[in-house]
Amino acid sequence: MSEPARLDVRIATDPAEAWLVQSQIVDWLKERQYPAPDQFGVRLSLEEGLMNAIKHGNRGDLSKSVRVFCEVSDARTYIEIHDQGIGFDPAAVPDPLAEENLEKASGRGLLLMRQFMSVVEFRDNGRLLVLEKQRSTE
Amino acid sequence: MAAAAGQRRLDIEEVGDVTVARFVDKKILDENNIQMIGNQLFGLVDQDKRKKIVLDFANVEYLSSAALGKLITMNNKVKTIGGKLRLCSIRPDIYEVFAITKLNKLFDIKDDQATALAGF
């Protein structure tokens, strides 16, 4: 058993900063020898969640920031991504699996996060994304 | 040109009349990278007018939904000029992303490059 690793940072509306946070978190999963599919799912979900916060939440506004909280223990990975945008209604996001949306170039991030993570929740009117991954048993 | 080579995100090879484009990167995740990949892919159709294209994913370990968007646009461009696009050598984790999004039905996906080249 190793001590949980924690991160609580405010990053700029900048994919390069998001990339650093993502890499740090995935490194913690590697150190704790999470199964490869768990690492894959968490990395992908982080990418989707962080890019949603930067592009759709903060809309690229450099005066805004994104707060990221994360705790990685041996048993689970818990992540909060909080943007400063106007929020959104997750229920209003078009279904990317509907026939008419299958060839659209965007709109699949939420679907992928829901598939790969144990918990995906939106709070604060859609500005706060909560992701949780229970470590899989191999 | 070293600078241009540094920006190259695809290895291009001609096999008969088929263009094989192999992704250089292990991770097709970050926005700038995806933008460059998209530009190079679209150039194969828009500038070079190549009609038979295989995209080889052998090196790719991660890919995001933004990358899927570029692949869909590429598929539509190839179809528009009456060409064919095939994807190959996709590892199971990545294939799962295609399956979850039902894009495994949209794209012509083959197990490996030899199968993708056969009967093109």
Side-chain angles (χ1 to χ4, degrees), chain A residues 40 44 48 97 108 111-112 115-116, chain B residues 61-65 68 90-104:
Chain A
F40 180 90
L44 181 62
E48 302 293 343
L97 300 181
R108 296 177 179 80
L111 168 70
L112 290 171
Q115 286 289 326
F116 283 107
Chain B
E61 294 175 1
Y62 285 98
L63 140 163
S64 68
S65 66
L68 295 177
I90 298 177
R91 61 185 66 204
D93 283 344
I94 305 272
Y95 188 83
E96 196 182 350
V97 173
F98 282 86
I100 289 166
T101 53
K102 289 193 182 172
L103 293 177
N104 55 335

Side-chain angles (χ1 to χ4, degrees), chain B residues 65-80:
Chain B
S65 66
L68 295 177
K70 295 292 182 194
L71 294 175
I72 291 167
T73 304
M74 178 67 176
N75 197 41
N76 290 336
K77 280 178 182 288
V78 174
K79 277 198 290 188
T80 300

Side-chain angles (χ1 to χ4, degrees), chain A residues 69-86:
Chain A
F69 173 82
C70 176
E71 184 178 273
V72 181
S73 70
D74 289 331
R76 68 157 203 170
T77 297
Y78 176 86
I79 300 159
E80 293 180 0
I81 299 171
H82 204 168
D83 67 55
Q84 296 180 320
I86 57 170

